[in-house]
Amino acid sequence: VSQSRYSSSRGIIWENSIKTLQNSSIKELLIGTGPDTFYKRVYFSPEEKETYFNTTEIEVDKAHNIFLETLLTLGIPAFLCLYLLYTRFITFNNNSMCTYLSLLLIGYLIQGFFNIDVVSVYPIFIILLSILAYCKSHGCSQALTQLPSNSDN
């Protein structure tokens, strides 16, 4: 068994994704090819499909890595924007709530390295980012004590 056959054949998907990135034009690196165009960009030979997916009828439509997916489909500027967005709000300080929220964000990013964004999970991620952004801009401990409560009615 090839070493690329680990974890639902992610190894061969990542290998072919990296090869595609290395052979990309400047335009593709800068603006990508558009959302959900992974299957058009990354080529899998019939032999690879049969070996790693047990069928030649499959279309691999995701990179199973949010970072590779973004680089391939949206380009380097989009990847840098997402990277800055994700890392800007990670905060470790004396306030345990901000540290816990930051650890949740890091956990999401770690799973994103091995998986894809799921529509049902992404809104929770955006809410988490929003809470972290609010906490960071207002000071973690101050922001959390100023949240509105039902007793104010």
Side-chain angles (χ1 to χ4, degrees), residues 49-135:
K49 288 181 179 182
E50 185 63 43
T51 301
Y52 297 103
F53 305 105
N54 298 322
T55 181
T56 58
E57 303 299 317
I58 192 169
E59 286 297 331
V60 180
D61 62 346
K62 298 289 181 192
H64 294 279
N65 179 310
I66 58 176
F67 308 106
L68 277 175
E69 179 95 18
T70 302
L71 278 168
L72 282 164
T73 60
L74 302 175
I76 293 171
F79 171 79
L80 291 175
C81 288
L82 283 177
Y83 174 79
L84 292 173
L85 175 70
Y86 292 159
T87 58
R88 175 168 170 32
F89 300 113
I90 295 174
T91 303
F92 294 102
N93 58 25
N94 293 334
N95 185 291
S96 61
M97 179 59 83
C98 285
T99 300
Y100 294 146
L101 290 171
S102 294
L103 289 172
L104 285 172
L105 176 59
I106 290 169
Y108 180 85
L109 295 176
I110 290 170
Q111 77 78 34
F113 190 83
F114 301 98
N115 215 338
I116 56 176
D117 286 327
V118 179
V119 174
S120 61
V121 175
Y122 206 67
I124 297 168
F125 173 68
I126 296 300
I127 291 168
L128 172 63
L129 268 183
S130 301
I131 293 169
L132 272 170
Y134 183 81
C135 286

